């Protein structure tokens, strides 16, 4: 049986972009909650060069059935040409929290 809940990670260029994306996901009932970590230092290769700068990290909590809509919304609203979208299966946790997610996302 596939996990019922997902944790999606992405980064945004700045706090304002992260806030807009998080708010849109919650308003559309695609995410029950989005945690925003305002300062994450990232180092990566982009177009043949090493890039290092501060980004804003998002942890998006959702249900498996909403995953494709969350991914499409991130791609649609994101300022990056190739946004990070990593999906983790949630295999356990606080049942009361999952019940709350079910209520919020219905």
């Amino acid at each position: 049986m596939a996990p019922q809940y997902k944790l999606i990670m992405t980064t945004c260029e700045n706090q304002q972009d992260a806030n807009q994306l998080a708010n849109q996901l919650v308003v559309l009932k695609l995410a029950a909650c989005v945690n925003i970590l305002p300062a994450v230092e990232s180092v990566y290769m982009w177009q043949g060069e090493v890039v290092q700068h501060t980004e804003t990290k998002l942890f998006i909590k959702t249900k498996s059935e909403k995953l494709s809509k969350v991914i499409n919304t991130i791609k649609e609203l994101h300022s990056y040409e190739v946004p990070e979208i990593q999906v983790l299966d949630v295999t356990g946790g606080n049942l009361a929290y999952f019940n709350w997610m079910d209520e919020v996302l219905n």
Side-chain angles (χ1 to χ4, degrees):
M1 185 167 135
Q4 207 174 344
Y5 304 95
K6 302 287 185 184
L7 175 66
I8 303 163
M9 296 182 294
T10 192
T11 53
C12 289
E13 186 173 2
N14 55 54
Q15 183 80 36
Q16 181 180 348
D17 289 354
N19 289 340
Q20 289 174 349
L21 179 57
N23 281 306
Q24 192 66 19
L25 290 170
V26 171
V27 166
L28 293 172
K29 293 191 171 196
L30 296 177
C33 176
V34 180
N35 298 119
I36 301 172
L37 302 175
V40 178
E41 195 68 21
S42 297
V43 179
Y44 55 92
M45 289 293 284
W46 182 248
Q47 298 178 340
E49 294 186 27
V50 176
V51 176
Q52 180 172 355
H53 72 275
T54 302
E55 296 180 293
T56 303
K57 187 81 168 179
L58 283 76
F59 293 93
I60 302 161
K61 289 92 168 236
T62 194
K63 296 180 75 168
S64 297
E65 65 207 40
K66 296 185 181 272
L67 180 60
S68 63
K69 287 184 180 179
V70 172
I71 290 171
N72 289 337
T73 301
I74 292 170
K75 288 179 179 179
E76 177 185 317
L77 299 177
H78 212 286
S79 64
Y80 289 171
E81 184 179 333
V82 182
E84 170 197 1
I85 301 173
Q86 296 183 25
V87 180
L88 302 174
D89 291 334
V90 177
T91 59
N94 182 357
L95 183 57
Y97 186 83
F98 298 135
N99 289 336
W100 169 80
M101 285 181 66
D102 289 341
E103 289 176 27
V104 169
L105 294 175
N106 282 332

